[in-house]
Amino acid sequence: MGTLDGKVALVTGASRGIGATVALRLASEGARVAAMARTLEPDPRYSGSLRETVEGIRAAGHEAVAVRGDLSSVDDRRRIVAETVEAFGPVDILVNNAAVTFLAPVEEFSEKRFRLMIEVQVWAPFELTQLVLPGMRARGAGWLLNISSRAAQHPEGPPFDAVYERGFSAYGLCKAALERFTTAVASEGYRHGIRANALAPLDNVATPGAGAHDLVADFPLEDPSVLAEAALALVEGDITGRIAYSQTLLDELGRKPAATAL
């Protein structure tokens, strides 16, 4: 028996990295997982794919379905939830992990890239949450988890660390907005049994996406399984309104990550 038996989880950005590891960890505890990403097959630039995530979950004896969609499309956002409900039933757990990220100084940041980041990292989680909240409220329970980042923190200074010259302005803006949205849902949903939290790695996670931005070599690393275990802790109980860091949360709860990485 798993702690999530009977629950339906929708995990966005589940083709590789954090999303794939979180999807498998939730499935290992009995959740039926709708793993969502933009494409089913591998991207030649990265390792891992949505197909591999779902196959890995099924090979471990758990239930999963692949849901393809573009989170910048309003039609796709609605279809993603509809396909999840059709496959497994109403969503009990929503993990907003997907992101599209560009790094550039403020004066060089294009409007097109800014709007795309806001659409995928802020409005998409907002709208997906809107789509699943009515069902959660009707059942008297639901869990929302938004994957954030230390980039949401304000730089300390002056003098400022040189890392803040790397172009994290729009990314940090998106994550800060996501965190404030999280606490809003936590407060609005609490009396309806809905729990909402945000989770960030304490250190950088060695994912294909981080490698694409040359972050892996420059920052301390955290195993994705640490973040996956912390994610599980936030969607299986009564914790709500937390802006948590993964290793810090595990230390607080006295938990160790399970060996569930793909």
Side-chain angles (χ1 to χ4, degrees), residues 113-130:
R113 288 186 168 184
F114 183 86
R115 289 184 179 276
L116 180 58
M117 285 183 65
I118 292 292
E119 189 76 18
V120 172
Q121 296 198 49
V122 180
W123 179 241
F126 195 102
E127 186 173 14
L128 290 178
T129 301
Q130 287 181 317

Side-chain angles (χ1 to χ4, degrees), residues 23-52:
L24 182 59
R25 186 68 182 103
L26 301 190
S28 73
E29 288 295 331
R32 291 174 291 171
V33 175
M36 175 268 156
R38 190 170 58 86
T39 59
L40 184 63
E41 303 300 338
D43 184 318
R45 297 171 295 176
Y46 309 120
S47 62
S49 69
L50 184 59
R51 182 185 298 279
E52 291 171 23

Side-chain angles (χ1 to χ4, degrees), residues 38 75 105 143 163 204 214 234 261:
R38 190 170 58 86
D75 291 338
W143 291 263
V163 70
N204 197 53
D214 297 324
L234 292 174

Side-chain angles (χ1 to χ4, degrees), residues 1 10 27 35 46 50 61 79 93 107 110-111 114 116 155 159 188 199 207 235:
M1 296 293 289
L10 170 57
Y46 309 120
L50 184 59
R79 180 180 52 76
I93 300 166
E107 70 269 24
S110 72
E111 179 182 356
F114 183 86
L116 180 58
E188 293 175 7
L199 179 66
T207 66
V235 300

